[in-house]
Amino acid sequence: MSEIASLHERQPGRFVIGTRGSPLALAQAHEFAERLAGAHGWAKAELPLDIIRTTGDAIRDRPLSEAGGKGLFTKEIDQAQLLGRVDYAIHSAKDLPTTLPDGLVIAGYLPREDVRDALIARGAAGIADLRQGAIVGSASLRRQAILKRARPDLEIVLLRGNVGSRLEKVAAGTIDATLLALAGLKRLGLADKASGILAIEDCLPAVGQGAIAVVTRSEDPVATEALAPILCRETGIALAAERAFLGELDGSCRTPIAGHATVAGERFHLRGLLLAPDGSAAVEDSISGPVAEAAALGAELGRSLRRRAPAGIYS
């Protein structure tokens, strides 16, 4: 505790940001640093990055669901934060496990980017345009199941790696197509690489897609208070509903789950989808209500879908 306490005596504006080292993770960390520095009039040098390699970054040869799930992208950063090495941890919200380690909390989210998925393919603007038996690469069980549900003829193969390497696989003809989050492409200045943008109605996003989460220590009021000018209320409400929904299902990457919430004034709307891994069965529903009940109603929708899950979804 003495190490953490000493951090609370630091000069105002001096915070260390923990992040993964992928180009997208760095783009997100820089966006956070620029917003925070701009809000307080700090020099960007007062917000240095600590780049931390995670277990998830090292695994490229198998699905993360077989290696432990979402926490593989956060564990080492969590440890650094709990030891006082970093003050803020910046994560893609969809990579966060449903439960964080004791002592850490999601302090909030930056304004959300476009939540839709982008198709990367040669000569195809939509899933229906892909050739018969096309090879599509993806590491996401959600995307795999949605693709199989729409086009059982497609050959789905595992595709890991950063955004650039996935784009290269399509460009080289190793695979015919892949799906990527449009938010990530936009943050990397690569939105023009998308051959088509999939409608939310056809490809419901992952929980948290497009949102950047800011994690702090629960007992670090200095770091937490500094975030107030840059956090997005509407994104926080939407993510409260989505993460509560996910928490009632299976947030460990072993089950294909999609969920997306929107906020309009003091009301929210959440749509959720639970699929069999092979796309052969699915259950889908939505719920709406006051924003004050977003988490409670999100959890209610999750319990409802779990009760109605067709055989084969949970093995």
Side-chain angles (χ1 to χ4, degrees):
M1 291 298 293
S2 59
E3 184 176 8
I4 293 177
S6 68
L7 286 174
H8 292 175
E9 299 167 3
R10 60 183 170 255
Q11 292 295 316
R14 172 70 184 187
F15 297 97
V16 179
I17 300 168
T19 177
R20 295 167 57 203
S22 72
L24 179 56
L26 292 174
Q28 294 179 160
H30 283 299
E31 178 181 340
F32 168 75
E34 288 165 5
R35 287 178 181 270
L36 189 60
H40 294 285
W42 298 336
K44 190 128 176 250
E46 294 179 283
L47 299 169
L49 302 188
D50 187 343
I51 299 171
I52 299 169
R53 183 172 174 81
T54 69
T55 302
D57 294 315
I59 298 172
R60 298 295 177 89
D61 59 345
R62 63 191 189 279
L64 292 178
S65 57
E66 296 178 3
K70 291 184 180 179
L72 296 173
F73 282 126
T74 61
K75 182 174 66 173
E76 287 79 6
I77 299 176
D78 292 343
Q79 292 170 347
Q81 196 164 21
L82 289 170
L83 290 172
R85 174 176 152 189
V86 302
D87 304 298
Y88 297 117
I90 307 304
H91 300 283
S92 294
K94 67 178 183 178
D95 288 338
L96 284 175
T98 52
T99 302
L100 271 60
D102 290 343
L104 299 180
V105 295
I106 301 174
Y109 306 88
L110 301 187
R112 199 171 198 174
E113 246 294 0
D114 197 316
V115 303
R116 293 175 295 173
D117 277 319
L119 178 69
I120 313 297
R122 299 183 308 280
I127 295 173
D129 301 324
L130 295 170
R131 67 172 178 82
Q132 186 77 13
I135 301 171
V136 184
S138 178
S140 162
L141 295 186
R142 173 189 64 88
R143 290 177 178 138
Q144 291 175 7
I146 287 173
L147 287 166
K148 291 172 183 176
R149 186 185 186 195
R151 290 281 306 274
D153 62 289
L154 297 177
E155 180 182 348
I156 311 299
V157 299
L158 176 66
L159 179 64
R160 295 288 317 283
N162 61 37
V163 170
S165 67
R166 299 185 197 197
L167 292 173
E168 289 171 4
K169 294 283 188 182
V170 177
T174 306
I175 56 176
D176 294 304
T178 188
L179 297 180
L180 296 172
L182 180 57
L185 292 175
K186 286 186 171 184
R187 289 181 175 127
L188 290 170
L190 297 171
D192 62 327
K193 300 297 183 182
S195 59
I197 309 300
L198 304 186
I200 291 175
E201 294 74 21
D202 299 327
C203 190
L204 197 64
V207 163
Q209 186 154 308
I212 297 173
V214 185
V215 174
T216 62
R217 287 182 293 273
S218 54
E219 298 183 2
D220 192 346
V222 177
T224 302
E225 290 166 11
L227 296 172
I230 68 169
L231 299 182
C232 179
R233 174 181 178 267
E234 289 75 15
T235 303
I237 293 166
L239 267 290
E242 291 176 22
R243 286 178 58 79
F245 164 75
L246 183 66
E248 293 293 334
L249 295 166
D250 176 8
S252 63
C253 292
R254 289 188 293 270
T255 305
I257 299 166
H260 177 235
T262 55
V263 178
E266 294 303 310
R267 302 279 298 178
F268 84 98
H269 178 78
L270 170 66
R271 179 182 164 203
L273 172 66
L274 181 63
L275 303 111
D278 63 0
S280 61
V283 58
E284 182 176 2
D285 208 343
S286 63
I287 198 166
S288 300
V291 296
E293 299 177 23
L297 292 175
E300 180 180 319
L301 181 62
R303 289 191 294 271
S304 174
L305 291 197
R306 181 152 195 152
R307 285 194 301 269
R308 293 153 51 197
I313 289 184
Y314 286 101
S315 53

